[in-house]
Amino acid sequence: MAAPSSPRKPRGPMMLELESVDSYYGKAQVLSDLSLTVGAGQVVALLGRNGAGKTTTLKSVMQLVRPRAGRVTFRGQDITRLPSYKVARMGLGYVPEERRIFTDLTVLENLEVGRQPARDGSVAWTQGMLFDLFPNLAERRHNRGKALSGGEQQMLTIARSLMGNPALILLDEPSEGIAPVIVEQMARIILQLKTEGLTVLLSEQNLHFAQAVADAVVIIEHGSAKFAGSLAELKAQPEIRDAYLSV
Amino acid sequence: MGLFIAQLLTGLANAGALFMVASGLSLIFGVTRVVNFAHGSFYMLGAYVGYTLMQVLPGAVGFWGAILLAGLIVGLIGIIVEICVLRPVYSAPELFQLVATFGVILVIQDLTLMIWGPTDLLGPRAPGLKGVVRIMGEPVPQYDIALIVITPFVALALWYLIARTRVGTLVRAATQDREMVGALGVNQAWLFTGVFFLGCALAGLGGALQLPKGGADLLMDFSILASVFVVVVIGGMGSLPGAYLAAVIISVLNVFGVTYLPQSTLVLMFVVMVIVLMVRPFGLLGREEVAGEHGQVGEPERPIRPAGTGVRLLVAFLLALLASVPLLGSNFYNVLITDILIFCLFAASLHFLLGQGGLVSFGHAAFFGGGAYVAALLVTYAGTPMELALLLAPLGAGLAAIVIGWVCLRSTGVYFAMLTLAFGQLLWSLAFQWGDITGGDDGLVNIWPSDWASDNVVFFYLALVLCVGGILLLRHAAHAPFGYALRAARDSARQAEATGINTRHVQWVAFTFAGTMAGLAGGLFVFSKGSVFPNELEIARSFDALIVVFLGGVKTLSGGWVGGAFFESVKDVLTRFEYWRLALGLLIIFVVIVAPDGIVGSLRKLGERLGWLRGERELR
Ligand SMILES: Nc1ncnc2c1ncn2[C@@H]1O[C@H](COP(=O)(O)OP(=O)(O)O)[C@@H](O)[C@H]1O
Ligand SMILES: [Mg+2]
């Protein structure tokens, strides 16, 4: 039951691999035997209904929630039980669902908090490059985080994690709660990041958005993967979509 | 006019050290969310270390060098404390952190005593600044002027560090969301250590800087603590400008208070604090704190249940044993056990507040001492008989709790704790400074039980009945629907409200109930001792109770009185050793880190493990 219905692995070298991960909040098990893989340079969408365990999956990668069983490997290295800051320094960028920008800090200061030295094999982002990518932020660089609109805050969280020069970025529901125009902009940005060589694992409830950006999808329900495969494969099996996604 | 300005300047000069200690405390709290109770101890260490350095380093360069070095050394000591004591308790509830830092206070007190001895040290005067300047005819010490000039520079340097450097940016970010800072690749552990270093160095600097004005003594740690809390709370936790503003307000107020209202200098400070908090619950420049972000240590609490037959039998046996104490025919034991019983009731009342209500009060002595003073004042001025006084003592304490609870429960978490502490101090200062009525430091004496109860044995039984009755009443309340509502409010205020519980009201009733019981203990205490002194209202007395509750086990139903009984009995033995504080402090730190379940919790676990083992063997 827990095994993905299409166990085919993505092409290319593996960037991130979760093997039979179990995660809990206190005594409540949220992820059970969850496995998924993200290939280098891919954009993978983690789909599932509200409460399916998407956020917990991303937190388990960051070690913000510590898996009680299973293994998380990033670029071939076991990162399970590393402190979060070490996970981040290995090249994982995390964009949380609630954004969690530092509202008392200015845009520039928010970026400064995210700054980490460049490591080989990843883009070395500068503030200038980020302001090219997010022109709205450039105008507001001296504004405090709390003065930004929801969309701007979302851009800022992404920009902030890019300052750490990640090889893989985890986006938790990037299209949630922002205006439709901004959603389109967000999709363009994700595709652009992909062309820069970044790998992306994003969580979504919105199949439409996932279709616009993702190469592959993983569907989870009750904390285990129910499907993994390409978008085309998902389209070929509408019964899966109907069973696990609210469209 | 001259006098006025001279006093203003003295106030500003005094604000220097206060600001440095308070800003250190504030910084540490902002990032680590730990209220460092040991901050006064670092201030004291700064003074002692500075004193020693000034003895060896010559001249003006030596003097100022000694001050800087003292700050540095105290900062390094702070690092040791942070790594050994605080790191293990960062994710623990506030109470555990408080108790851990309290252990540090005890350890530092005794280490200081060991190294520098018990005599007060007279601070050396600053070379080149020994004279006075005349301002409109009034003498102002040159050193005061120096302090007035130095403090803004320290404040400015601190501001630059926090507002303009990368480290400062990280500190501010961590103040808001430390987990996110970690997820962005910042090693929080070292950020915390760095902030702790800075905070302690500031306290040490403050202690060394005030040497020429105040010298060094072993009481400095507690004496600055209350003012520092007031400053931090008035200014707003985590706000540096707030700390400066409040330090100036309090220091200036104190100087003028000494001149114009000599009877009420201590009270004044707390009155200002209460007024500020009534208007701005998070201080002048503070931000609203998110309450309840602390996790729980160890396993979740178990649902309480009525005692089983075994426990009931054990309790009945213990009570029978207690009741037969007078058969020993020893006055010493009668009195000792009476003291223990009274202390148990006091501890149990605080335990009820803490354990069932989740309300960490730092000023519970207000009600114990309050009850004691009510009884003593009634006897002294109205010739009230003991029976009536014993009824009015808990009532008086309960009334005080109604008022104090109303104010304090407007805030939550750390602010609640500090407000209760301030009220405790307020009552203490009243008793201490209102000498005409309360006898001040000399206390109220000659308060003896009625004739029928004047025999030790009879009074023992009276205390036994009232204390055990009180403890059972507290226990009963925990099992009653009221107890359920109180725990619901503790665990999730929002959900409790959603089920129709008025959480604030429930907590207010609990606060009053606990205060009443503490007042009963206080009333009994007076008649047992025949006297009462202001130290029954002190911070130290509140802390005694907190520590006892903690060591007994917060998450258990009987932790309060068990801890009380245990410590009141070993206290006699313990205090005979010269360095008992050191031993107690280390024990406390050990318990916080290794056995956070306390005596009752640990025994219960042990018992279960043994029982479980037997069960398994039986299966075979
Ligand atoms: N901090 C938490 N404590 C307890 N349970 C949680 C917590 N966060 C999430 N959960 C529970 O875990 C499950 C999965 O949540 P989540 O990973 O946030 O799902 P999703 O992101 O897919 O909406 C849900 O049932 C949710 O109620
Ligand atoms: Mg989610």
Side-chain angles (χ1 to χ4, degrees):
Chain A
M1 184 61 190
S5 57
S6 170
R8 210 185 59 183
K9 296 214 166 177
R11 313 167 305 272
M14 221 54 73
M15 185 64 107
L16 179 73
E17 199 161 359
L18 278 75
E19 293 166 78
S20 307
V21 168
D22 289 351
S23 285
Y24 293 73
Y25 292 106
K27 284 185 179 163
Q29 182 165 10
V30 174
L31 301 186
S32 51
D33 199 22
L34 176 75
S35 300
L36 66 86
T37 50
V38 180
Q42 272 195 320
V43 175
V44 174
L46 184 61
L47 296 173
R49 292 201 186 95
N50 202 3
K54 303 180 294 295
T55 300
T56 311
T57 306
L58 301 188
K59 285 191 171 171
S60 300
V61 173
M62 280 316 286
Q63 303 302 316
L64 291 169
V65 168
R66 307 216 161 245
R68 286 212 199 139
R71 213 155 71 107
V72 184
T73 337
F74 177 60
R75 294 169 128 180
Q77 274 177 291
D78 187 351
I79 57 169
T80 344
R81 276 171 279 283
L82 278 187
S84 301
Y85 81 93
K86 283 197 178 153
V87 174
R89 284 186 188 177
M90 287 177 69
L92 267 159
Y94 174 55
V95 178
E97 190 172 9
E98 324 86 307
R99 302 188 186 118
R100 293 168 75 168
I101 58 163
F102 305 108
T103 47
D104 286 345
L105 273 55
T106 64
V107 167
L108 280 175
E109 286 173 336
N110 267 280
L111 296 181
E112 175 63 27
V113 177
R115 184 164 65 83
Q116 289 292 328
R119 62 191 75 65
D120 41 72
S122 64
V123 200
W125 292 89
T126 59
Q127 286 174 357
M129 289 161 71
L130 288 172
F131 286 142
D132 287 343
L133 192 62
F134 304 104
N136 310 25
L137 290 184
E139 293 161 26
R140 317 212 55 176
R141 65 183 78 195
H142 294 295
N143 286 79
R144 280 174 198 263
K146 60 183 150 211
L148 304 185
S149 70
E152 285 166 341
Q153 291 193 353
Q154 185 66 284
M155 301 293 170
L156 178 57
T157 359
I158 295 176
R160 183 180 66 180
S161 65
L162 290 176
M163 282 297 284
N165 303 308
L168 187 159
I169 187 164
L170 305 166
L171 299 175
D172 201 351
E173 304 213 18
S175 74
E176 190 196 11
I178 53 180
V181 245
I182 318 259
V183 173
E184 273 172 39
Q185 196 185 343
M186 186 69 68
R188 276 200 303 278
I189 286 167
I190 290 172
L191 290 175
Q192 189 172 345
L193 291 178
K194 185 186 167 189
T195 60
E196 306 266 5
L198 212 66
T199 308
V200 180
L201 173 61
L202 58 90
S203 86
E204 263 307 327
Q205 293 186 48
N206 179 343
L207 182 60
H208 186 71
F209 184 80
Q211 280 168 339
V213 293
D215 306 311
V217 265
V218 176
I219 296 184
I220 65 169
E221 171 85 0
H222 296 311
S224 353
K226 303 292 180 197
F227 171 88
S230 67
L231 273 168
E233 285 166 327
L234 181 61
K235 279 208 184 97
Q237 292 166 272
E239 69 281 1
I240 289 189
R241 194 192 61 193
D242 296 344
Y244 299 121
L245 303 174
S246 31
V247 201
Chain B
M1 190 61 197
L3 184 65
F4 182 84
I5 291 186
Q7 283 180 330
L8 199 65
L9 291 177
T10 313
L12 278 175
N14 292 347
L18 196 53
F19 163 72
M20 285 173 214
V21 185
S23 59
L25 184 82
S26 201
L27 262 177
I28 292 175
F29 174 78
V31 174
T32 65
R33 299 280 124 178
V34 171
V35 179
N36 179 23
F37 265 69
H39 218 63
S41 306
F42 291 105
Y43 168 74
M44 178 172 79
L45 275 180
Y48 275 99
V49 172
Y51 177 87
T52 301
L53 289 172
M54 285 171 193
Q55 305 299 308
V56 275
L57 303 176
V61 176
F63 176 84
W64 295 107
I67 289 179
L68 287 179
L69 265 179
L72 188 72
I73 291 173
V74 172
L76 293 176
I77 298 173
I79 289 188
I80 299 175
V81 170
E82 197 268 348
I83 292 179
C84 299
V85 181
L86 289 175
R87 276 196 187 176
V89 298
Y90 276 134
S91 55
E94 276 147 14
L95 176 66
F96 289 65
Q97 302 167 343
L98 148 79
V99 174
T101 55
F102 188 75
V104 174
I105 295 183
L106 295 176
V107 171
I108 292 183
Q109 253 171 12
D110 262 5
L111 288 181
T112 313
L113 176 66
M114 268 185 209
I115 299 174
W116 284 281
T119 16
D120 294 358
L121 303 177
L122 197 62
R125 313 270 292 282
L129 295 171
K130 293 181 181 169
V132 294
V133 265
R134 298 229 159 241
I135 290 177
M136 300 173 88
E138 294 291 331
V140 177
Q142 286 176 335
Y143 191 68
D144 275 11
I145 306 284
L147 282 184
I148 295 174
V149 176
I150 292 170
T151 309
F153 277 104
V154 175
L156 213 64
L158 206 54
W159 170 82
Y160 183 84
L161 179 73
I162 300 298
R164 287 287 177 269
T165 65
R166 172 168 167 90
V167 171
T169 309
L170 295 181
V171 166
R172 278 180 293 137
T175 301
Q176 225 185 325
D177 186 345
R178 46 189 176 169
E179 189 190 55
M180 193 61 224
V181 172
L184 287 168
V186 177
N187 184 347
Q188 289 180 69
W190 285 108
L191 191 63
F192 282 25
T193 309
V195 166
F196 210 81
F197 166 81
L198 181 63
C200 292
L202 279 167
L205 207 60
L209 265 176
Q210 65 76 52
L211 268 173
K213 287 172 72 80
D217 61 71
L218 287 168
L219 298 176
M220 290 171 77
D221 51 353
F222 271 134
S223 60
I224 195 149
L225 198 60
S227 324
V228 166
F229 278 168
V230 171
V231 163
V232 169
V233 168
I234 290 184
M237 270 294 202
S239 160
L240 288 181
Y244 187 69
L245 188 65
V248 169
I249 292 178
I250 290 301
S251 302
V252 171
L253 203 69
N254 266 338
V255 175
F256 283 109
V258 168
T259 319
Y260 302 107
L261 291 163
Q263 293 288 295
S264 58
T265 42
L266 295 169
V267 182
L268 210 59
M269 181 164 86
F270 296 108
V271 171
V272 171
M273 163 162 157
V274 169
I275 293 174
V276 167
L277 284 187
M278 300 273 295
V279 183
R280 292 189 55 92
F282 300 100
L284 291 174
L285 302 177
R287 262 190 305 116
E288 181 162 354
E289 294 299 338
V290 202
E293 62 175 291
H294 278 280
Q296 283 284 320
V297 125
E299 302 153 25
E301 181 177 314
R302 308 170 188 206
I304 61 167
R305 46 164 196 248
T309 334
V311 177
R312 273 165 203 252
L313 283 175
L314 185 68
V315 170
F317 174 70
L318 277 177
L319 280 178
L321 212 61
L322 267 178
S324 48
V325 162
L327 295 181
L328 291 173
S330 151
N331 254 339
F332 173 77
Y333 279 114
N334 292 346
V335 173
L336 178 71
I337 307 283
T338 306
D339 284 353
I340 294 179
L341 283 168
I342 293 172
F343 191 64
C344 283
L345 176 58
F346 176 38
S349 69
L350 178 65
H351 181 263
F352 177 76
L353 207 55
L354 272 175
Q356 304 296 311
L359 297 166
V360 183
S361 163
F362 288 3
H364 205 54
F367 309 113
F368 179 75
Y373 266 95
V374 167
L377 289 169
L378 282 170
V379 171
T380 309
Y381 293 103
T384 313
M386 179 191 79
E387 298 77 16
L388 189 58
L390 275 184
L391 187 67
L392 291 176
L395 277 182
L399 274 178
I402 290 182
V403 176
I404 296 176
W406 183 75
V407 179
C408 296
L409 286 166
R410 295 163 64 92
S411 321
T412 51
V414 189
Y415 283 89
F416 172 81
M418 300 224 172
L419 267 175
T420 49
L421 180 129
F423 271 104
Q425 278 300 92
L426 178 67
L427 289 192
W428 173 80
S429 357
L430 275 178
F432 187 73
Q433 288 197 316
W434 206 5
D436 294 344
I437 308 277
T438 63
D441 213 11
D442 298 330
L444 294 166
V445 292
N446 284 328
I447 297 134
W448 298 112
S450 305
D451 283 341
W452 65 268
S454 61
D455 183 63
N456 274 331
V457 174
V458 179
F459 194 80
F460 167 84
Y461 282 114
L462 179 68
L464 181 69
V465 169
L466 288 181
C467 291
V468 171
I471 292 170
L472 288 178
L473 204 60
L474 285 161
R475 199 183 164 91
H476 178 75
H479 286 298
F482 176 72
Y484 288 87
L486 188 59
R487 287 193 294 280
R490 170 194 73 187
D491 291 337
S492 175
R494 199 151 12 107
Q495 283 172 23
E497 293 273 351
T499 57
I501 298 171
N502 183 342
T503 54
R504 209 184 139 215
H505 190 81
V506 169
Q507 290 175 336
W508 196 16
V509 173
F511 193 83
T512 307
F513 182 42
T516 308
M517 287 298 138
L520 177 61
L524 281 167
F525 177 84
V526 175
F527 287 105
S528 152
K529 291 282 177 239
S531 57
V532 60
F533 301 97
N535 56 356
E536 298 315 323
L537 289 158
E538 258 175 10
I539 302 187
R541 180 67 73 246
S542 298
F543 281 13
D544 281 351
L546 271 175
I547 284 174
V548 153
V549 166
F550 175 81
L551 293 175
V554 185
K555 291 192 218 164
T556 60
L557 205 50
S558 41
W561 66 265
V562 172
F566 182 72
F567 278 89
E568 191 71 10
S569 6
V570 299
K571 197 174 78 178
D572 241 36
V573 186
L574 193 66
T575 46
R576 268 181 233 156
F577 296 105
E578 192 177 0
Y579 294 114
W580 63 272
R581 285 189 192 82
L582 181 66
L584 181 61
L586 291 175
L587 173 74
I588 289 173
I589 294 171
F590 173 83
V591 171
V592 170
I593 297 173
V594 180
D597 297 312
I599 299 175
V600 177
S602 302
L603 283 180
R604 185 169 64 188
K605 262 194 200 150
L606 186 71
E608 276 171 4
R609 191 170 313 154
L610 294 177
W612 180 71
L613 274 177
R614 205 186 309 130
E616 203 178 42
R617 237 178 266 129
E618 277 161 13
L619 276 182
R620 273 183 209 152

